[in-house]
């Protein structure tokens, strides 16, 4: 049994409330009560704005090693991808465990309590499976545990090297061989061997999900195996969709259909699904995604860094697609920045302000993100939910001047990851006073883990 007294907290239906007593037994909240000035029990004080822990719905942990390196050169998404393959080729289970632990610790410092890791680096060099063919995936699960956050391991099916401009399938080659399984059925057999239970759980803080890497990497005939696997476990199903114009062109040449249409025909778009990016989608694609209540995950810092473009977030949300957020390439790890960039991107594209409210953006970063990762019982400060919450300081140079009425706007539009003061996950302290409890020097851990890859 633990209790906290939050100076200010963002509560479902009630909005921002002061003096909120938060009570937990084990890993669950038992009561959340506003306007409690003098709690009867001794409580930990939370100074600032307390909100549900943030869900980072799309991450590739190892891309963190590219930060700064790929920004030093010109190029396109495709030249960036060559750098990414070079790092992918150097990782092994030990170095990946060290790197991912440090990256997830950085996420915790940014208030992230749950990560969706879109995992495709499965095998050893040349595509040789490890003795345990899920060794890399297990390293990621262990890394999340060491960093104190929840993980949904979105195991990605990745079978072909891409679609040529004329639509021909290309074989896996070079570092891509590490991503591949023989076919959809072989992917499903390996994913089964992760050892998940009937509800997709991999342990107390870990759940499994499926991913179709993209229409570039999975032929349509192989998609039903991945879809069926996700249905069997009631698990999330994620896919990269229309990140690049070239992907659309090749997909149209190959299948006379857009990526969203190809995925729809394979039964891959539904309420447990997430279309990641959805940057270059057509009006018909928007109807297809929204009509299926398929989540869309926007990753605006990566989409800007890779020169992808600005996706139609508002149109997708209006069509029925719940919005989630991801740090994707981890060029930046700051979910608050991802949230505000969705709105700011719309402003730049339309020359009008006010497309998403701070509440909508905050919901994307919390409840909706968790739902898309299969953690429906996380993402809200309410009795019965997981005791996962972040407190953001309102007395830093960036947040000073925030009022009770507009503190959420101050945080979403002005705060940064550096303003995160504390993070509790499952009732346990992960960050206190801006410092990670389990990984004492996150910067040193990152430096060491990245240095061995260069
Ligand atoms: Zn991605």
């Amino acid at each position: 049994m633990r209790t906290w007294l939050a100076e200010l907290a963002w509560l479902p239906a009630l909005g921002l409330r002061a003096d909120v007593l938060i009570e937990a037994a084990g890993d669950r909240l038992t009561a959340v009560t506003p306007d409690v000035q003098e709690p009867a029990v001794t409580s930990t004080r939370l100074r600032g704005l307390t909100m549900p822990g943030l869900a980072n719905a799309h991450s590739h942990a190892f891309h963190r090693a590219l930060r700064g390196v790929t920004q030093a050169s010109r190029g396109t998404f495709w030249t960036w991808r060559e750098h990414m393959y070079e790092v992918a080729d150097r990782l092994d289970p030990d170095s990946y465990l060290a790197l991912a632990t440090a990256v997830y610790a950085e996420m915790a410092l940014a208030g992230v309590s749950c990560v969706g890791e879109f995992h495709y680096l499965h095998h050893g060099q040349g595509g040789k499976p490890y003795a345990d063919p899920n060794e890399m995936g297990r390293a990621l699960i262990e890394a999340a545990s060491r960093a104190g956050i929840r993980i949904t391991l979105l195991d990605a099916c990745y079978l072909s090297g891409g679609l040529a401009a004329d639509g021909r399938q290309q074989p896996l080659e070079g570092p891509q061989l590490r991503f591949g399984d023989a076919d959809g059925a072989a992917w499903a057999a390996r994913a089964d061997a992760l050892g998940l239970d009937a509800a997709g759980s991999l342990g107390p803080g870990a759940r499994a999900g499926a991913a179709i890497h993209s229409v570039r990497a999975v032929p349509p005939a192989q998609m039903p195996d991945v879809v069926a696997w996700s249905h069997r476990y009631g698990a999330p199903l994620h896919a990269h969709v229309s990140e690049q114009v070239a992907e659309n062109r090749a997909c149209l040449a190959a299948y006379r259909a857009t990526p969203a249409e190809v995925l729809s025909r394979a039964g891959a778009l539904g309420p447990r699904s997430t279309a990641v990016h959805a940057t270059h989608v057509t009006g018909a694609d928007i109807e297809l995604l929204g009509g299926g209540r398929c989540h869309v995950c926007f990753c605006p810092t990566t989409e800007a860094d890779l020169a992808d473009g600005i996706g139609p977030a508002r149109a997708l949300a209006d069509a029925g697609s719940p919005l989630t957020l991801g740090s994707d390439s981890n060029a930046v790890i700051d979910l608050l920045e991802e949230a505000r960039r969705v709105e700011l991107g719309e402003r730049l594209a339309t020359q009008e302000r006010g497309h998403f409210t701070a509440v909508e953006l905050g919901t994307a970063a919390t409840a909706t993100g968790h739902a898309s990762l299969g953690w429906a019982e996380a993402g809200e400060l309410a009795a019965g939910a997981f005791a996962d919450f972040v407190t953001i300081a309102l007395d830093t140079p960036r947040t000073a001047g925030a009022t009770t009425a507009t503190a959420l706007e101050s945080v979403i539009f002005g705060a940064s990851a550096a303003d995160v003061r504390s993070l509790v996950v499952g009732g346990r302290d992960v960050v206190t006073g801006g410092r990670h409890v389990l990984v004492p020097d996150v910067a040193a851990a990152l430096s060491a883990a990245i240095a061995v890859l260069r």
Side-chain angles (χ1 to χ4, degrees), residues 344-366:
L344 298 179
E346 289 276 344
R347 291 185 188 187
L348 290 169
T350 63
Q351 300 175 50
E352 279 183 33
R353 307 176 74 233
H355 303 267
F356 286 91
T357 65
V359 167
E360 287 178 299
L361 297 171
T363 302
T366 56

Side-chain angles (χ1 to χ4, degrees), residues 58 60 240 277 328:
H58 189 69
H60 308 283
H240 292 118
H277 302 302
D328 191 3

Side-chain angles (χ1 to χ4, degrees), residues 259-285:
E261 286 166 348
V262 169
L263 288 162
S264 177
R265 287 175 194 170
L269 302 182
R272 270 188 285 103
S273 306
T274 294
V276 181
H277 302 302
T279 307
H280 300 285
V281 284
T282 65
D285 292 341

